Amino acid sequence: MSGSVKDRFLVTGCARLQGAVKVSGAKNSVLKLMAAALLAEGTTTLTNCPEILDVPLMQRVLEGLGCTVVIEGGVVRITTPAELKSDADFDAVRQFRASVCVLGPLTARCGRAVVALPGGDAIGNRPLDMHQSGLERLGATTRISHGAVVAEVETLRGARISLDFPSVGATENILTAAVLAEGRTVLDNAAREPEIADLCEMLNSMGARIDGAGTSTITIDGVEKLEPTEHEVMGDRIVAGTWAYAAAMTRGDITVGGISPRHLHLALEKLKVAGADVETYENGFRVRMNRRPTAVDYQTLPFPGFPTDLQPMAIGISSIADGMSVITENVFESRFRFVDEMQRLGAHATVDGHHVVLHGIEQLSSTDVWSSDIRAGAGLVLAALVAEGVTTVHDVHHIDRGYPNFVENLQALGATIERVAE
Ligand code: UD1
């Protein structure tokens, strides 16, 4: 988790990664679980938490609301008071997108929430309309005021809600409000991401009554009160997927533990089509590759589709594949900024609307590149591993937000990579 905003990585190309790596808890789960701890007075304990920058950022948000948060390695203990503050700290919230997940719990606990419009990755316009309309269906009024979303309600009441798109964040905020609403909420076209199921499992262990998590229709019977709990954060499927693509791109052999391969089914299937040998186990998988990958097309879609967070890795492998690939981004509009950096590394890529067409070449060539978000940053490091020469990856603070011990893990797998201060 160490490192400053100015750090960069020097990555030596033509590596072959080999060995075993274990992923820790999912970034996209732990932050929501930390926010869910707001729902119960007392101490909630989360284990298997990743050591990434977003966890202390969320600690700051929760402390600003009146909680005490202790982080000890992979364990986070959150003590929530009877009376919470309803205004989330403006500066802390603006630093990362996931902070918006305090909106549902605060509305449920305080009848009022003020949460600054979040910052975060530069991957496109990320409105909150479905978060707002979901809370409104439960009886709240919402508005945007002075750069913050404000929700207010006397009594939350269960309702039938249909999302226009299975938004992960909107599903989470609706769930964490509905658990304490009067009566039954039925949420249609809900997100089916494994992180939603993880959140529901924790909420149910706190005393919530949620049915259908992991499917498109989730039913929530509101309860009066929730109790604190202890919960193990699910493994990070995006970090695991990053290692899988690293193995295939470097013609390596990596065994990844701490993750259910069911959470990465399509991403691993695509690697098989590209020519990799993939073995799956109960709690992990192994990817081996001994030749140049074959070109494969990708379309990002909500789970169980190909994850948008692995789109940079799909572009990376396609850039060195034998043949032409078309990668279609269906979730975030501006996620192709990464392609400019890949072109600097020599990739033959053309962007056309929400498609990028890649003609694979034998080898990329090193230069200076800049990370624009967490996944693009990790994608650039993978590309640098297969580029001839030493590539400098700048703005690696983005990577630190999502990949625990990234450099150490890569070194253990045989990569030559070092972190240097700017
Ligand atoms: C979460 C993940 C992110 C992942 C994404 C999709 C976290 C912290 N981040 O982001 O890593 O890439 O899911 O799997 O968990 N949208 C609206 N209105 C809304 C809400 C969303 O138009 O009210 C749009 C977004 O702009 C985007 C799409 O819906 O185009 C999907 O967004 P969503 O599923 O909400 O993603 P996040 O929860 O922000």
Side-chain angles (χ1 to χ4, degrees):
M1 201 156 53
S2 63
S4 92
V5 170
K6 295 249 169 97
D7 287 1
R8 62 200 146 106
F9 292 161
L10 301 185
V11 187
T12 304
C14 306
R16 178 174 187 269
L17 299 194
Q18 192 172 11
V21 62
K22 187 172 181 295
V23 298
S24 49
K27 171 184 99 68
N28 286 353
S29 213
V30 68
L31 304 172
K32 327 304 176 61
L33 303 176
M34 288 175 76
L38 292 168
L39 288 163
E41 186 187 340
T43 303
T44 291
T45 303
L46 297 172
T47 59
N48 196 34
C49 297
E51 295 187 40
I52 51 171
L53 281 176
D54 276 13
V55 170
L57 283 177
M58 184 55 103
Q59 170 185 29
R60 222 180 110 196
V61 172
L62 297 184
E63 286 176 345
L65 295 168
C67 299
T68 308
V69 182
V70 179
I71 304 176
E72 278 171 351
V75 180
V76 176
R77 287 190 186 81
I78 301 149
T79 305
T80 300
E83 297 290 325
L84 283 168
K85 293 180 194 136
S86 58
D87 290 28
D89 178 87
F90 204 86
D91 290 332
V93 168
R94 273 194 39 75
Q95 290 186 46
F96 67 121
R97 167 85 194 173
S99 54
V100 76
C101 63
V102 300
L103 184 64
L106 278 185
T107 308
R109 278 295 304 283
C110 309
R112 180 171 190 274
V114 182
V115 182
L117 292 171
D121 293 343
I123 58 177
N125 181 27
R126 296 174 82 170
L128 294 177
D129 54 313
M130 287 187 268
H131 300 241
Q132 289 182 252
S133 60
L135 293 179
E136 284 169 10
R137 293 283 301 156
L138 296 173
T141 57
T142 74
R143 62 182 189 281
I144 304 291
S145 172
H146 302 291
V149 51
V150 182
E152 284 169 322
V153 69
E154 195 74 40
T155 310
L156 285 169
R157 291 209 166 78
R160 182 138 206 149
I161 303 171
S162 248
L163 294 179
D164 290 345
F165 181 91
S167 152
V168 172
T171 299
E172 289 162 345
N173 267 327
I174 293 166
L175 271 169
T176 47
V179 284
L180 289 179
E182 270 181 16
R184 171 170 287 194
T185 298
V186 179
L187 180 57
D188 283 321
N189 202 21
R192 288 183 281 166
E193 269 66 6
E195 291 78 12
I196 301 283
D198 200 28
L199 173 63
C200 290
E201 190 187 317
M202 171 165 151
L203 291 169
N204 280 343
S205 81
M206 294 168 83
R209 291 170 57 206
I210 304 171
D211 232 15
T215 75
S216 300
T217 301
I218 304 180
T219 305
I220 308 121
D221 285 305
V223 296
E224 260 182 38
K225 195 168 177 276
L226 295 177
E227 300 295 337
T229 190
E230 177 163 339
H231 181 83
E232 182 182 343
V233 182
M234 63 169 273
D236 197 313
R237 66 194 164 100
I238 304 301
V239 173
T242 303
W243 295 127
Y245 278 71
M249 286 172 69
T250 65
R251 302 188 196 183
D253 179 355
I254 303 182
T255 300
V256 182
I259 168 83
S260 165
R262 287 192 314 279
H263 296 164
L264 268 179
H265 179 72
L266 192 54
L268 295 177
E269 285 301 311
K270 290 278 180 187
L271 286 183
K272 285 187 199 165
V273 180
D277 186 8
V278 180
E279 280 172 49
T280 56
Y281 318 111
E282 170 78 17
N283 203 23
F285 58 83
R286 178 178 182 184
V287 176
R288 274 177 291 180
M289 185 74 145
N290 56 15
R291 63 170 175 85
R292 186 176 175 198
T294 303
V296 176
D297 292 340
Y298 294 85
Q299 275 213 49
T300 70
L301 281 170
F303 191 84
F306 188 86
T308 175
D309 286 351
L310 288 178
Q311 182 243 82
M313 293 66 188
I315 291 178
I317 195 169
S318 303
S319 70
I320 52 162
D322 186 7
M324 188 192 88
S325 314
V326 179
I327 287 127
T328 304
E329 173 58 54
N330 293 307
V331 181
F332 288 110
E333 58 186 24
S334 302
R335 216 167 193 171
F336 284 151
R337 254 185 227 185
F338 166 74
V339 174
D340 296 344
E341 302 305 304
M342 287 298 295
Q343 284 166 336
R344 297 165 61 78
L345 288 167
H348 290 188
T350 318
V351 176
D352 181 7
H354 65 131
H355 308 286
V356 52
V357 179
L358 281 130
H359 291 273
I361 56 171
E362 290 267 354
Q363 188 160 48
L364 300 171
S365 71
S366 61
T367 183
D368 284 40
V369 287
W370 279 262
S371 314
S372 54
D373 69 71
I374 303 175
R375 312 303 171 188
L380 287 174
V381 172
L382 297 201
L385 287 170
V386 293
E388 190 263 317
V390 178
T391 295
T392 305
V393 181
H394 297 268
D395 291 341
V396 301
H397 59 278
H398 289 295
I399 304 174
D400 294 335
R401 291 188 39 220
Y403 287 84
N405 306 316
F406 197 48
V407 168
E408 295 75 8
N409 280 318
L410 280 164
Q411 287 168 340
L413 292 168
T416 304
I417 175 170
E418 59 174 313
R419 176 191 287 270
V420 285
E422 200 77 45

